[in-house]
Amino acid sequence: MATILDGKKIADMRLEILKEEIEDSRIYPRLATVIVGNDPASQMYVRMKHRACEKTGIGSVGIEFAGDATTDQVLQTVTQLNNDADIDGILIQLPLPKQVDTARVITAVFPEKDVDGFHPFNLGLLFSGRPRFEPCTPKGIMTLLSEYKIEVAGTRAVVVGRSIDVGRPMAALFTNADATVTICHSKTKDLTEELRHADILVSAIGRAHYITREMVRPGAIVIDVGINNVNGLLVGDVDFEQVQHVVSAITPVPGGVGPMTIATLMENTFTAANVRSCDTVW
Ligand code: NAP
């Protein structure tokens, strides 16, 4: 039977440790979230992030824009948050509505407050093998693997998806951890052929139950990033019921990668606050 990689349990444990670290530090980290529009899923994620802040003793402010906000309006707020000495981390909840220029907004966040790690400067450092802020979902996955003592070095890691928030940084983190990495995407010719080689398979596609038992190497470790709403139920990219019988470890959805993402955001925010409080130049 596969080990269920319990992200919820590990995340709760890490948040508890972080809370104590924050208490001992006498630093009061503060996170600002920016959301545009009223997409229910995005609103729920932002609420969960604020709740995690409360749990750990991180202050938080939430800035909400109507769905028809312009790029300039969002940029103005980012500038204010950049210049606000009381704010350590800025999180722009993605996706932004079509009329808002996402790349400009992400690039406007000061890299030292970019706790999501999406700024090209931080992504560049990550790809150079000198990471500073690493995007929360892939970093949370590395933490989860490490908490379960799963060795990454020397493995074949296959990542499905090449977004800047998950797929690409996941591949960079695996590379930095000495895995041999393949990135697959919608133009990959024979996905099953690629996946059958994976010791560690990460799926970040956004298609319910797309990864089936036949596509997975027996004994593999499967990390399911996907969050898909099927008739009001949240399910992953992986056909969990079938795949769990052939793999050695697998994350559930919900309760796997999601909680690790949020715990990592809290950890990144504390790191940002720590660095700012020491006036350290990275
Ligand atoms: P995204 O930006 O839409 O990227 C999806 C990627 O999947 C793209 O690179 C796309 O390829 C690839 N893809 C789509 N269909 C494919 C197929 N049939 N075969 C192979 N590759 C395919 O999505 P994302 O932001 O990375 O998110 C992916 C999923 O993870 C979503 O369900 C999202 O909700 C979830 N997510 C979860 C967390 C968490 O904390 N659990 C965090 C972030 C995202 P192309 O590049 O060729 O189009």
Side-chain angles (χ1 to χ4, degrees):
M1 212 43 191
T3 300
I4 305 301
L5 303 173
D6 190 340
K8 170 86 175 69
K9 185 179 86 184
I10 301 291
D12 284 348
M13 190 186 81
R14 291 186 71 93
L15 289 177
E16 203 49 51
I17 294 169
L18 181 65
K19 181 178 179 229
E20 285 168 21
E21 281 175 3
I22 291 174
E23 270 168 18
D24 291 347
S25 74
R26 293 160 185 265
I27 293 172
Y28 182 49
R30 277 167 64 95
L31 174 72
T33 63
V34 178
I35 182 169
V36 184
N38 54 7
D39 172 59
S42 293
Q43 285 181 327
M44 183 183 72
Y45 296 140
V46 167
R47 269 198 308 276
M48 288 162 84
K49 288 165 189 176
H50 284 275
R51 223 175 291 142
C53 284
E54 273 168 39
K55 264 195 196 168
T56 46
I58 294 176
S60 67
V61 289
I63 289 139
E64 296 175 15
F65 284 99
D68 60 356
T70 63
T71 302
D72 282 344
Q73 285 171 318
V74 180
L75 286 175
Q76 218 171 28
T77 291
V78 170
T79 303
Q80 277 164 9
L81 295 171
N82 280 338
N83 295 326
D84 185 338
D86 289 335
I87 297 294
D88 300 294
I90 302 171
L91 175 129
I92 312 292
Q93 185 64 39
L94 300 181
L96 294 170
K98 281 200 171 57
Q99 81 279 2
V100 179
D101 187 334
T102 302
R104 271 185 76 196
V105 172
I106 287 175
T107 311
V109 174
F110 277 171
E112 56 270 34
K113 294 192 178 189
D114 171 38
V115 285
D116 244 345
F118 295 162
H119 192 290
F121 184 78
N122 284 323
L123 285 174
L125 285 175
L126 171 63
F127 277 82
S128 313
R130 300 185 288 122
R132 191 167 67 170
F133 287 118
E134 295 161 317
C136 300
T137 299
K139 185 179 177 192
I141 290 170
M142 296 306 280
T143 305
L144 187 62
L145 293 172
S146 150
E147 291 279 0
Y148 277 90
K149 313 258 179 295
I150 292 170
E151 184 68 50
V152 172
T155 59
R156 285 175 192 251
V158 179
V159 180
V160 196
R162 54 177 166 178
S163 65
I164 64 148
D165 55 325
V166 189
R168 287 170 199 250
M170 186 77 255
L173 275 155
F174 277 142
T175 305
N176 293 348
D178 298 327
T180 302
V181 185
T182 303
I183 306 185
C184 302
H185 44 75
S186 67
K187 306 290 185 296
T188 297
K189 284 242 162 64
D190 188 343
L191 186 62
T192 301
E193 171 62 18
E194 301 296 340
L195 297 190
R196 295 284 298 181
H197 291 298
D199 299 313
I200 303 178
L201 188 170
V202 176
S203 180
I205 308 176
R207 286 179 170 227
H209 297 158
Y210 192 79
I211 309 289
T212 59
R213 181 181 178 136
E214 296 68 36
M215 298 167 90
V216 175
R217 192 179 69 71
I221 290 148
V222 173
I223 307 292
D224 192 351
V225 181
I227 302 177
N228 309 288
N229 189 328
V230 176
N231 302 326
L233 269 186
L234 292 187
V235 301
D237 290 346
V238 178
D239 182 354
F240 182 90
E241 284 310 317
Q242 293 298 318
V243 170
Q244 64 168 330
H245 298 298
V246 292
V247 298
S248 63
I250 184 166
T251 56
V253 177
V257 174
M260 292 304 298
T261 299
I262 293 179
T264 307
L265 175 68
M266 299 301 117
E267 291 171 349
N268 279 357
T269 303
F270 181 48
T271 302
N274 246 322
V275 171
R276 291 183 70 242
S277 75
C278 305
D279 239 358
T280 308
V281 178
W282 276 353

